[in-house]
């Protein structure tokens, strides 16, 4: 306790030196927190944009559907299913779908594609599908028409108002065929989606495939990206083993791989930042030791044991680290809150590119606890590691030489 008190008094005998060292720790916390918040905010927004294009955050399937992708592995979403979904507070929207493969023909042109039966109102709430209608109109409940992706429409040589022939294999091998008018043309920002498939009303899809009332999946939207794992666990417990619950990362492993690759690059950048700041803190500690060399030599010469002096210096480093981390965290919290509530707009040149892919032209930040906690722990640990230097310096110090320095 005495060593702690002496360390605290010693710090403020030279407040300028102390403030310089605390400022180095403070800047390390502030910069690393800013970088982590930007990184996490970007990932969350990227995931949010990607899953809202089609998959949703969670999907409920027949247990065999994800492996087979067969319309035979569908199910009737009874009231108990939607009751279980509704019992999970994190879920705010449930969107049923019925999809399978079909051949679409117009004149002499025939193309294979995915045919997706949707609830027009609920689907629009999840994916904003109506905003991608380039020509014609969006579907309404009970509509007998079809929405085509733009590249598929070009390959078939059709436009709005033209009639298409659809041929497929329905539920349990039933023959499926129908004539449907083109209600609208969809143009997505993603080239892959532009040739992906066609959308029809889910009731019409059930009639076409001979699977009335059945669905291949129920896509779910949650309140927040960070609640996905919690919601999926609760939902799997509520539904039991009769249904399969898949999260976005299980359905889109390529997106997960891309984010993990980017995280690895960010770790290297953050490592460089920590290294630069660490050497800055080390520099101030070395300066402190050089300035106090004669003082410490006299203290040892008059009888202070080296281990006690080491204890005082260790507590000084501990206090400097605590002060720097505390000030850095306290100041970074309101800064990050402001940035979360007021995303930074991108320059016009970059904004156009973002908008062309359907993304908001903003730089987003995140307020998740680990953004602050991880940086505080890392910088504080780095400060304690650097505190080994003065301990080693005292151990090797020759009191006579130190007094004469």
């Amino acid at each position: 306790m005495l060593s702690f008190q002496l360390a605290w008094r010693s710090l403020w005998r030279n407040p300028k030196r102390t403030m310089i060292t605390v400022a180095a720790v403070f800047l390390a916390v502030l910069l690393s927190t800013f970088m982590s918040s930007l990184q996490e905010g970007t990932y969350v927004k990227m995931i949010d944009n990607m899953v809202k294009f089609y998959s949703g955050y969670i999907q409920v399937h027949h247990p065999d559907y994800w492996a087979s992708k067969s319309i035979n592995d569908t199910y009737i979403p009874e009231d108990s299913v939607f009751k279980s979904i509704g019992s999970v507070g994190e879920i705010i929207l449930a969107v049923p779908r019925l999809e399978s493969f079909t051949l679409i023909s117009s004149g002499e042109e025939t193309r294979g594609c995915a045919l997706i039966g949707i609830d027009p109102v609920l689907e629009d709430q999840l994916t904003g599908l109506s905003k991608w209608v380039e020509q014609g109109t969006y579907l309404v409940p009970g509509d007998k028409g079809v929405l085509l992706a733009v590249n598929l429409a070009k390959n078939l040589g059709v436009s709005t108002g033209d009639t298409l022939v659809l041929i497929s294999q329905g539920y349990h091998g039933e023959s499926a065929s129908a004539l449907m008018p083109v209600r609208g043309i969809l143009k997505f920002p993603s080239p892959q989606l532009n040739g992906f498939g066609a959308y029809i009303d889910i009731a019409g899809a059930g009639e076409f495939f001979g699977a009335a009332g059945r669905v291949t999946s129920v896509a779910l939207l949650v309140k927040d990206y960070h609640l996905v794992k919690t919601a999926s666990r609760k939902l799997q417990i509520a539904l039991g083993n009769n249904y399969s619950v898949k999260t976005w990362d299980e359905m889109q492993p390529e997106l997960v791989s891309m984010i993990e690759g980017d995280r690895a690059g960010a770790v290297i950048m953050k490592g460089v930042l920590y290294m630069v700041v660490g050497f800055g803190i080390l520099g101030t500690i070395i300066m402190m030791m050089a300035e106090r060399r004669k003082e410490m030599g006299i203290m040892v010469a008059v009888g202070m044991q080296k281990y006690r002096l080491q204890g005082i210096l260790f507590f000084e480093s501990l206090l400097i680290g605590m002060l720097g981390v505390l000030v850095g965290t306290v100041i970074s919290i309101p800064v990050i809150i402001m940035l979360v509530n007021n995303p930074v707009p991108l320059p016009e040149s970059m904004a156009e590119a973002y908008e062309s892919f359907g993304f908001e032209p903003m730089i987003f930040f995140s307020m998740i606890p680990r953004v602050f906690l991880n940086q505080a722990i890392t910088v504080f640990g780095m400060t304690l590691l650097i505190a080994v230097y003065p301990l080693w310096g005292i151990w090797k110090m020759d009191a006579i030489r130190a007094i004469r320095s």
Side-chain angles (χ1 to χ4, degrees), residues 123-135:
E123 187 71 30
D124 199 36
Q125 292 178 31
L126 175 65
T127 63
L129 188 63
S130 64
K131 69 182 178 183
W132 306 117
V133 177
E134 185 184 42
Q135 300 175 25

Side-chain angles (χ1 to χ4, degrees), residues 70-92:
S70 169
I71 196 168
N72 294 330
D73 294 320
T74 54
Y75 64 96
I76 297 175
E78 299 172 350
D79 291 343
S80 59
V81 173
F82 286 107
K83 186 177 180 180
S84 297
I85 292 172
S87 69
V88 180
E90 291 83 359
I91 298 173
I92 57 176

Side-chain angles (χ1 to χ4, degrees), residues 202-220:
I202 192 167
E207 184 181 340
F208 175 72
F209 287 116
R214 307 187 74 85
V215 299
T216 49
S217 65
V218 176
L220 307 175

Side-chain angles (χ1 to χ4, degrees), residues 144-394:
K144 300 298 182 181
V146 58
L147 298 175
L148 284 183
V150 62
N151 288 346
L152 184 59
K154 287 180 180 177
N155 290 334
L156 291 170
V158 296
S159 60
T160 54
D162 292 340
T163 299
L164 299 173
V165 178
L166 283 72
I167 302 174
S168 184
Q169 180 174 295
Y171 185 59
H172 286 315
E174 184 175 328
S175 178
S177 61
L179 297 175
M180 294 187 186
V182 178
R183 196 71 70 208
I185 306 295
L186 299 167
K187 186 175 182 180
F188 297 102
S190 168
Q192 290 180 327
L193 292 177
N194 279 331
F196 178 63
Y199 294 82
I200 61 175
D201 180 72
I202 192 167
E207 184 181 340
F208 175 72
F209 287 116
R214 307 187 74 85
V215 299
T216 49
S217 65
V218 176
L220 307 175
L221 187 64
V222 298
K223 293 178 182 177
D224 185 84
Y225 154 72
H226 300 101
L227 300 174
V228 170
K229 294 296 183 184
T230 302
S232 67
R233 283 196 299 269
K234 290 181 179 179
L235 185 58
Q236 188 66 76
I237 293 170
L239 291 173
N241 297 324
N242 293 326
Y243 301 92
S244 169
V245 177
K246 294 282 185 184
T247 56
W248 70 268
D249 51 337
E250 295 174 304
M251 295 183 288
Q252 300 191 56
E254 66 285 348
L255 179 58
V256 176
S257 299
M258 182 179 69
I259 291 174
E260 288 177 349
D262 192 72
R263 280 189 192 277
V267 167
I268 295 172
M269 290 179 62
K270 207 176 292 183
V272 172
L273 172 64
Y274 286 141
M275 189 179 298
V276 170
V277 174
F279 277 113
I281 297 172
L282 179 61
T284 57
I285 295 292
I286 292 173
M287 177 187 70
M288 178 188 73
M289 289 292 293
E291 289 178 353
R292 299 173 64 185
R293 183 174 173 79
K294 186 172 183 178
E295 169 198 328
M296 291 185 289
I298 292 171
M299 293 173 72
V300 172
V302 297
M304 176 173 273
Q305 294 172 314
K306 284 187 175 181
Y307 77 87
R308 290 190 180 278
L309 185 54
Q310 286 176 322
I312 292 171
L313 289 175
F314 175 77
F315 280 123
E316 285 186 30
S317 300
L318 181 69
L319 287 167
I320 286 171
M322 289 174 62
L323 284 171
V325 167
L326 182 62
V327 174
T329 303
V330 168
I331 291 179
S332 66
I333 287 174
V335 172
I336 298 301
I337 289 175
M338 182 186 69
L339 291 170
V340 168
N341 294 328
N342 302 280
V344 180
L346 290 168
E348 286 188 16
S349 56
M350 296 180 64
E352 292 178 2
Y354 269 63
E355 287 176 335
S356 67
F357 282 94
F359 298 155
E360 295 176 68
M362 299 282 185
I363 298 175
F364 293 92
F365 294 82
S366 175
M367 271 289 293
I368 57 174
R370 72 166 179 265
V371 165
F372 303 97
L373 188 62
N374 288 356
Q375 313 322 309
I377 292 173
T378 301
V379 175
F380 185 67
M382 186 172 61
T383 305
L384 292 183
L385 183 63
I386 292 171
V388 173
Y389 173 79
L391 303 185
W392 176 80
I394 294 297

Side-chain angles (χ1 to χ4, degrees), residues 104-125:
I104 297 182
S105 298
S106 176
E108 296 181 357
E109 298 294 335
T110 301
R111 292 290 186 274
C113 71
L115 183 65
I116 307 159
I118 60 170
D119 181 308
V121 176
L122 295 177
E123 187 71 30
D124 199 36
Q125 292 178 31

